[in-house]
């Protein structure tokens, strides 16, 4: 912002900028332009011409300099009487403008000084040059305002520093905070890499409903909406799982979806009610194939981003393969001195948690007790990327039990820097067994467990036609982005996270 704006109230600055807008309109100029064809991005100017443009003390080499057209947001300016310097910023970088009254004419120079503000988007045309300080610049001969900024922008070097402010006004954060911009560019590459790897492995991308008559596929509390024309309640999906497995019944052997899921739960640094998930299903595979696939997918992402390790919440996470593989049987014995099989037989999870000194509400579910045992006594020891195997059948209603121990399932969760990033298992394809597990979940729901699954009769019907044996995988895109970028809050990797209303 200009020196006159720095101490002025925001409302006054907006009024002053509206006056400039009106002045432009009266002069027959639009403050909100149309199509502008640029020569190249600002970073490309530096890449292509940095070594070609001579210093100003070499006048014999100043001829035949390229004329370029560039666009960007004006983020700095220095007015020096008959000369002005400014910087344009675009997604790729920044470039200095050298504005001389003699080059653009007195009227255009006056307009630049009086009517152009920090934050305006400009189209600029001029000759490449190098200033006395050696900075590559465009010597302006023509400009036009493509979008007039009516609100003052954050100060150029500080921008937005508060995490919530950055999340609430992400558009300002992206312009003023290069680290934030790089984080979301990294997230985009992450998703591109996952798609590329899955396509190379013959997976087909599909889309399944976001609004579902039954909220199935995960233990979670759903959001409810209502369809007026059909007069029925619908649920925002908590997971795409059941529809994707119906596609296996339909003859598609390898399918995946990257999309949104919604869970009506708490908001904290690791949870957002709306999040992005990858789910993939492969016919004639099992949990071991899913483990290999997960390792390959994440390894490829790390290589694509040129990340060998990251620091996440003070934990150093190496992405070197292979990852460790540990059974819950061994982990419970090692860190809790508990026999997991006996625990599964007795099903007294809350008692076990209390005996280990874990504070657990009397109304908590067995699933919550298991989670607390693992999170507070085992997870803290998982220093390296680790596949944790052999989850209790009672907490895995969609997974197939192990053939040699039906109290446990062929299931894993992957932890990177102690953060759960993936969940996978050998899929249950016996319709009668799946129906029985759904009824067990219904009993839990009737006893007050709001996160227990409900019965999806259409899914059971689909299984009755015969689903091939299969392995299924879910990866939390936001969590993976957090670990790779070293971001301590999920808000830092979601462009527009859900926030508490300001009022």
């Amino acid at each position: 912002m200009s020196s006159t704006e720095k101490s002025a109230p925001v409302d006054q600055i907006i009024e002053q900028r509206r006056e400039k807008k009106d002045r432009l309109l009266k002069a027959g100029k639009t403050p909100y332009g149309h199509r502008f064809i640029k020569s190249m991005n600002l970073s490309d100017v530096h890449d292509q011409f940095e070594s070609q443009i001579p210093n100003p003390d070499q006048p014999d080499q100043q001829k035949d300099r390229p004329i370029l057209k560039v666009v960007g947001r004006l983020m700095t300016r220095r007015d020096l009487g008959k000369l002005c310097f400014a910087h344009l910023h675009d997604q790729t970088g920044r470039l200095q403008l050298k504005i001389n009254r003699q080059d653009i004419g007195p009227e255009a120079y006056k307009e630049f000084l009086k009517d152009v503000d920090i934050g305006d988007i400009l189209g600029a045309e001029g000759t490449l040059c190098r200033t006395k300080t050696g900075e590559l610049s465009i010597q302006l001969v023509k400009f036009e305002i493509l979008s007039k900024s009516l609100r003052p922008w954050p100060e150029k070097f500080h921008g937005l520093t508060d995490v919530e402010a950055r999340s609430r006004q992400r558009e300002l954060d992206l312009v003023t905070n290069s680290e934030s911009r790089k984080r979301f560019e990294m997230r985009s590459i992450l998703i591109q890499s996952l798609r590329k790897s899955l396509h190379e492995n013959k997976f087909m991308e599909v889309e399944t409903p976001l609004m579902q008559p039954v909220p199935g596929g995960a233990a979670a509390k759903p959001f409810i909406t209502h369809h007026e024309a059909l007069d029925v309640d619908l649920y925002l999906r908590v997971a795409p799982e059941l529809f994707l497995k119906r596609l296996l019944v339909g003859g598609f052997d390898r399918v995946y979806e990257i999309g949104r899921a919604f869970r009506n739960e708490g908001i904290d640094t690791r949870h957002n009610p709306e999040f992005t998930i990858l789910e993939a299903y492969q016919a004639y595979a099992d949990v071991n194939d899913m483990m290999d696939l997960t390792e390959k997918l994440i390894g490829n992402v790390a290589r694509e981003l040129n990340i060998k390790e990251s620091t996440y919440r003070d934990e150093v996470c190496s992405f070197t393969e292979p990852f460790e593989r540990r059974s819950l049987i061994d982990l419970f014995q090692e860190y809790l001195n508990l026999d997991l099989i006996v625990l599964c037989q007795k099903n007294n999870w809350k008692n076990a948690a209390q005996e280990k000194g874990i504070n657990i509400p009397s109304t908590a579910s067995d699933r919550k007790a298991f989670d607390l045992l693992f999170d507070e006594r085992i997870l803290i020891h998982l220093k390296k990327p680790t596949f944790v195997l052999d989850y209790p059948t009672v907490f895995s209603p969609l997974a197939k039990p192990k053939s040699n121990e039906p109290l446990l399932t062929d299931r894993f969760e992957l932890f990177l820097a102690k953060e759960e990033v993936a969940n996978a298992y050998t899929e249950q394809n016996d319709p009668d067994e799946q129906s029985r597990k759904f009824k067990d979940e219904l009993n839990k729901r009737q006893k007050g467990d709001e996160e227990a699954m409900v019965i999806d009769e259409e899914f059971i019907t689909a299984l009755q036609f015969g689903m091939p044996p299969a392995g299924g995988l879910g990866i939390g895109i936001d969590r993976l982005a957090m670990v790779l970028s070293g971001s301590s809050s999920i808000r830092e990797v979601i462009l527009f996270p859900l926030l508490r209303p300001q009022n």
Side-chain angles (χ1 to χ4, degrees), residues 290-306:
M290 294 300 101
M291 224 174 323
D292 294 340
L293 177 62
T294 304
E295 207 166 60
K296 181 185 294 186
L297 291 175
I298 293 176
N300 287 347
V301 167
R303 281 185 285 275
E304 191 81 25
L305 293 167
N306 196 28

Side-chain angles (χ1 to χ4, degrees), residues 242-285:
L242 302 189
F243 280 95
L244 290 171
K245 289 197 282 194
R246 287 169 66 176
L247 296 179
L248 297 183
V249 177
F252 290 138
D253 285 351
R254 299 186 182 202
V255 294
Y256 81 93
E257 182 171 8
I258 296 176
R260 296 287 186 160
F262 307 84
R263 298 181 185 178
N264 197 354
E265 299 165 356
I267 300 174
D268 58 31
T269 57
R270 297 170 59 251
H271 298 89
N272 191 67
E274 178 182 6
F275 60 97
T276 305
I277 191 169
L278 158 68
E279 289 205 9
Y281 294 86
Q282 180 178 340
Y284 313 109

Side-chain angles (χ1 to χ4, degrees), residues 448-467:
D449 186 352
E450 292 183 324
E451 295 185 354
M453 294 184 189
V454 296
I455 299 175
D456 188 331
E457 295 291 358
E458 290 188 356
F459 177 64
I460 296 297
T461 299
L463 289 185
Q464 289 172 348
F465 286 104
M467 187 184 90

Side-chain angles (χ1 to χ4, degrees), residues 164-308:
E164 181 163 332
R166 295 208 310 268
S167 301
R168 200 174 292 280
Q169 290 185 290
R170 185 67 77 194
E171 60 279 8
L172 304 188
D173 176 45
L174 293 172
V175 173
T176 60
N177 186 341
S178 61
E179 289 303 312
S180 180
R181 194 164 56 250
K182 289 176 183 176
R183 198 157 41 239
F184 288 106
E185 289 170 347
M186 182 219 73
R187 179 187 171 113
S188 177
I189 295 171
L190 183 164
I191 294 173
Q192 291 175 41
S193 174
L194 291 173
R195 281 197 166 99
K196 178 183 176 184
S197 296
L198 286 164
H199 289 172
E200 289 174 349
N201 281 273
K202 310 303 181 185
F203 281 82
M204 181 176 74
E205 185 170 13
V206 297
E207 296 170 300
T208 61
L210 289 175
M211 291 191 300
Q212 302 178 351
V214 176
K221 185 178 179 180
F223 288 94
I224 306 174
T225 187
H226 187 79
H227 191 282
E228 295 292 342
L230 297 178
D231 192 24
V232 295
D233 286 340
L234 295 171
Y235 303 87
L236 296 184
R237 73 177 180 195
V238 295
E241 177 168 344
L242 302 189
F243 280 95
L244 290 171
K245 289 197 282 194
R246 287 169 66 176
L247 296 179
L248 297 183
V249 177
F252 290 138
D253 285 351
R254 299 186 182 202
V255 294
Y256 81 93
E257 182 171 8
I258 296 176
R260 296 287 186 160
F262 307 84
R263 298 181 185 178
N264 197 354
E265 299 165 356
I267 300 174
D268 58 31
T269 57
R270 297 170 59 251
H271 298 89
N272 191 67
E274 178 182 6
F275 60 97
T276 305
I277 191 169
L278 158 68
E279 289 205 9
Y281 294 86
Q282 180 178 340
Y284 313 109
D286 66 8
V287 69
N288 296 297
D289 298 298
M290 294 300 101
M291 224 174 323
D292 294 340
L293 177 62
T294 304
E295 207 166 60
K296 181 185 294 186
L297 291 175
I298 293 176
N300 287 347
V301 167
R303 281 185 285 275
E304 191 81 25
L305 293 167
N306 196 28
I307 296 175
K308 293 183 178 179

